[in-house]
């Protein structure tokens, strides 16, 4: 009887009964839309409009994978029901924002803000503002832009302060009164960051100097370490950097990290037990995303202008390029199916997304979408930092 009522209720609401595990969303940045994709049938299901400025948008998911939280560049935070294809609630919470995160228990959504600088934390169900954390350094001063906001185990958020060279860890055990641990002098202008898949290490790249800042969240009492002292733009290197690489796309396989070199036609190989560089792999251009297939056997790379019309695949065993794919002009983002058999690629300047078989490299599907950028599948709901 209960199942019958549930089925009638779903039918009455105009929704077919289905799960969300094979769904995802694709950002259409020029039109302020989000397209819901069915990855099993490799087809778009619906579009949701009215999402504001999506020129640098990102998405996180609720634990049940039904709701996508969209972070727009205009400070908009939008909760979207991907089954009903509608906006549940939208708030303009700042003047300029740069991404966000959802807490380990799924109850809190945090947004990193450029203007005014800081982090705002919201109730994931209602989008009620729970707490505003101004990014003001010890001793006072102007608010800082916040970047590299991620969730961490223990219902914590970790983020970096661009203007004040700090990393903060916010313990949200009491959401309205978070405990903030601050690490100072981590390096000039941290510009992006990641958390490793096990949730242990937070690593921030530095724009103002070479090197990276590493915080072991299992042992924060050890403070922030400086690693990879030669990583960065290179203070004496005058070559143009067409796009700073995204650190979120680090590929990790067999205790090795495959890392985009800034401004160079190389992917760096890092030993994660010592945090030392052990190899450089020549590639076709300046890498932006360097992403591992879920089994770790392959690493896929896309590139900045003018080489952004192609993809390259590196074998994590041989550490050599094994395939080059001419995907089309303006490749921006990649996303693997949870078990890695397919990768989706957005090709902005040709208004399409492409699905490739990752074993044969055959093109399986090509779907039209105006100016696509980020691709976010619902499996992210269960991965730290995503």
């Amino acid at each position: 009887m209960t199942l019958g009522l549930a089925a009638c209720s779903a039918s009455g609401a105009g929704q077919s009964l289905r799960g969300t595990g094979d769904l995802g969303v694709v950002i259409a940045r020029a039109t302020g839309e989000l397209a819901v994709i069915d990855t099993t049938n490799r087809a778009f299901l619906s579009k949701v409009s009215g999402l504001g400025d999506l020129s640098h948008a990102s998405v996180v998911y609720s634990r049940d994978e039904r709701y996508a939280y969209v972070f727009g560049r205009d400070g908009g935070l939008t909760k979207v029901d991907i089954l009903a294809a509608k906006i549940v609630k939208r708030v303009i919470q700042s003047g300029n924002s740069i991404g966000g995160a959802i807490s380990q228990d799924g109850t809190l959504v945090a947004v990193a803000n450029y203007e005014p600088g800081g982090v705002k934390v919201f109730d994931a169900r209602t989008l009620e503002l729970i707490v505003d954390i101004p990014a003001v350094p010890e001793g006072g001063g102007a608010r800082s832009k916040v970047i590299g906001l991620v969730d961490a185990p223990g219902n914590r958020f970790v983020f970096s302060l661009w203007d004040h060279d700090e990393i903060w860890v916010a313990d949200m055990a009491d959401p309205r009164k978070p405990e903030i641990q601050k690490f100072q002098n981590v390096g000039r202008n941290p510009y992006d960051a990641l958390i490793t898949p096990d949730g242990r290490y937070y690593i921030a790249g530095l724009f103002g100097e070479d090197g990276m800042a590493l915080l072991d969240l299992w042992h924060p009492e050890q403070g922030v370490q400086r690693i990879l002292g030669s990583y960065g733009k290179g203070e004496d290197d005058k070559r143009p950097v067409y796009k700073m690489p995204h650190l979120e796309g680090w590929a990790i396989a067999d205790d090795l990290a495959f890392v985009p070199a800034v401004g160079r036609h190389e992917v760096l190989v890092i030993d994660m037990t010592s945090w030392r560089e052990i190899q450089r792999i020549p590639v076709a251009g300046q890498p932006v995303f360097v992403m591992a297939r879920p089994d770790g056997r392959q690493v896929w790379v896309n590139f900045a202008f003018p080489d952004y019309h192609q993809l390259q695949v590196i074998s994590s065993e041989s550490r050599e390029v094994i395939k080059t794919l001419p995907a089309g002009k303006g490749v921006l983002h990649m996303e693997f199916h949870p078990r890695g058999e397919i990768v989706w690629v957005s090709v902005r300047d040709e208004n399409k997304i492409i699905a490739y078989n990752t074993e044969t490299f055959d093109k399986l599907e090509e779907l039209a979408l105006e100016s696509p950028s980020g691709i976010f599948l619902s499996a992210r709901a269960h991965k730290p930092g995503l």
Side-chain angles (χ1 to χ4, degrees), residues 296-318:
R297 192 168 184 182
Q298 293 175 354
V299 174
W300 288 58
V301 187
N302 74 323
F303 303 101
F305 174 86
D307 303 298
Y308 63 170
H309 59 285
Q310 59 192 328
L311 295 164
Q312 288 194 313
V313 184
I314 296 170
S315 164
S316 62
E317 274 191 305
S318 67

Side-chain angles (χ1 to χ4, degrees), residues 44-357:
F44 287 128
L45 294 179
S46 56
K47 289 184 181 178
V48 181
S49 59
L51 298 173
D53 182 353
L54 300 185
S55 59
H56 195 289
S58 61
V59 173
V60 298
Y61 284 94
S62 60
R63 286 164 61 98
D64 62 5
E65 304 177 350
R66 178 169 180 172
Y67 299 102
Y69 299 89
V70 184
F71 308 98
R73 194 59 188 261
D74 57 2
L77 167 61
T78 311
K79 182 178 181 179
V80 176
D81 183 335
I82 63 172
L83 288 182
K86 67 178 184 180
I87 292 174
V88 177
K89 188 166 184 179
R90 175 172 167 80
V91 297
I92 302 297
Q93 55 82 47
S94 77
N96 189 338
S97 60
I98 196 70
I102 190 165
S103 62
Q104 184 180 37
D105 66 2
T107 64
L108 303 170
V109 174
V111 190
N113 289 317
Y114 273 13
E115 185 182 324
V119 171
K120 288 186 179 178
V121 182
F122 298 83
D123 183 297
R125 185 175 58 86
T126 65
L127 295 194
E128 171 203 357
L129 178 64
I130 299 297
V131 68
D132 183 359
I133 306 172
V136 176
E138 292 292 337
R143 287 192 179 205
S144 172
K145 297 182 180 72
V146 167
I147 61 89
L149 171 63
V150 300
D151 65 285
N155 255 28
R156 293 176 292 174
F157 292 118
V158 190
F159 50 92
S160 296
L161 278 57
W162 162 272
D163 299 292
H164 298 306
D165 308 341
E166 297 183 5
I167 293 173
W168 291 11
V169 180
D171 185 331
M172 307 302 295
D174 182 348
R176 296 186 185 276
K177 296 180 180 179
E179 293 186 9
I180 311 294
Q181 190 172 13
K182 302 177 181 180
F183 299 87
Q184 299 174 309
N185 302 315
V186 302
R188 292 200 306 274
N189 302 127
Y191 75 92
D192 195 11
L194 66 93
I195 192 168
T196 52
D198 59 5
R200 178 170 181 176
Y201 296 105
Y202 178 84
I203 303 169
L206 304 175
F207 191 84
E209 60 185 286
D210 286 348
M212 303 184 103
L214 178 143
L215 177 62
D216 184 344
L217 294 169
W218 289 10
H219 298 287
E221 72 280 358
Q222 295 178 355
V224 172
Q225 291 178 248
R226 291 295 296 275
I227 61 170
L228 305 178
S230 62
Y231 182 86
K233 294 187 300 178
E235 294 183 359
D236 298 323
D237 195 336
K238 303 303 182 184
R239 292 178 301 178
V241 177
Y242 291 108
K243 184 174 177 60
M244 290 296 286
H246 282 273
L247 299 187
E248 179 192 298
W250 273 29
I252 293 176
D254 296 329
D255 291 325
L256 298 176
F258 294 77
V259 180
V262 177
R264 300 176 181 274
H265 294 197
E266 296 171 333
V267 169
L268 311 184
V269 184
I270 309 301
D271 181 342
M272 292 179 63
T273 60
S274 64
W275 295 106
R276 296 179 185 273
E277 177 188 323
I278 61 172
Q279 186 179 342
R280 297 190 173 207
I281 303 171
V283 290
Q286 295 181 11
V288 177
F289 283 102
V290 177
M291 303 180 72
R293 196 171 72 175
D295 65 358
R297 192 168 184 182
Q298 293 175 354
V299 174
W300 288 58
V301 187
N302 74 323
F303 303 101
F305 174 86
D307 303 298
Y308 63 170
H309 59 285
Q310 59 192 328
L311 295 164
Q312 288 194 313
V313 184
I314 296 170
S315 164
S316 62
E317 274 191 305
S318 67
R319 302 181 204 161
E320 296 176 337
V321 173
I322 58 173
K323 188 70 176 180
T324 298
L325 295 167
K329 188 177 178 182
V331 173
L332 290 193
H333 197 233
M334 301 171 284
E335 183 87 336
F336 290 94
H337 282 201
R339 299 192 182 198
E341 76 282 6
I342 290 174
V343 63
W344 287 92
V345 178
S346 61
V347 188
R348 180 196 60 199
D349 296 356
E350 297 186 11
N351 299 309
K352 63 185 179 182
I353 66 170
I354 301 172
Y356 288 101
N357 181 305

